[in-house]
Amino acid sequence: MTADTVPAVRPTARRRGLSRGTVMVVGAVLVPLALTVIFNSWGPLTDESAVQMAFARVAGLTIAILSSVTIVVMTVRRRSQWPAVAGALLVASLVVAWSTMGLQSTADDLLNRLELVESVPSPGR
């Protein structure tokens, strides 16, 4: 009797990269929160700290918008069904709308903080 030998086939792992959920959580929550905490004015409010906080918030909101657009691109490139693409578009449109409102409130906050800094008398003025 002869035994047929079958070559061992190794299963190959598919490289999938990042999941859409990971991109969304990191891009829309963690990075903007980290920027806000890092660039928060922990000391007295000055012109520089007010502008620094505003720029950090704008950067975080921009990253949130870019991550939501990335979610849509990832969904389309993976050739997902149309309900998944529609869901990604819905989430992206909500993030963009929320971020746009955040950008408007950031501008208002910056103006209010700069007015507050100007209204407080300093010893050197």
Side-chain angles (χ1 to χ4, degrees):
M1 293 191 146
T2 61
D4 294 332
T5 60
V6 178
V9 177
R10 289 176 140 196
T12 58
R14 258 181 75 182
R15 253 181 87 169
R16 297 217 18 135
L18 294 173
S19 70
R20 293 177 295 181
T22 303
V23 171
M24 196 64 190
V25 168
V26 170
V29 177
L30 294 180
V31 172
L33 183 64
L35 286 173
T36 301
V37 169
I38 290 169
F39 292 105
N40 192 7
S41 175
W42 300 106
L45 185 63
T46 62
D47 289 339
E48 293 84 17
S49 64
V51 171
Q52 181 178 338
M53 288 187 292
F55 276 119
R57 187 160 182 209
V58 168
L61 292 172
T62 304
I63 291 170
I65 291 171
L66 292 175
S67 66
S68 67
V69 171
T70 302
I71 297 293
V72 173
V73 171
M74 289 172 68
T75 305
V76 171
R77 289 199 62 187
R78 290 182 182 172
R79 293 187 164 96
S80 298
Q81 298 292 325
W82 69 268
V85 174
L89 283 170
L90 177 65
V91 169
S93 64
L94 291 173
V95 169
V96 168
W98 169 72
S99 297
T100 304
M101 289 187 297
L103 290 172
Q104 292 172 352
S105 71
T106 300
D108 292 338
D109 288 345
L110 177 61
L111 291 176
N112 290 336
R113 287 176 181 153
L114 290 176
E115 287 176 7
L116 180 64
V117 168
E118 291 299 320
S119 68
V120 175
S122 68
R125 288 188 207 179

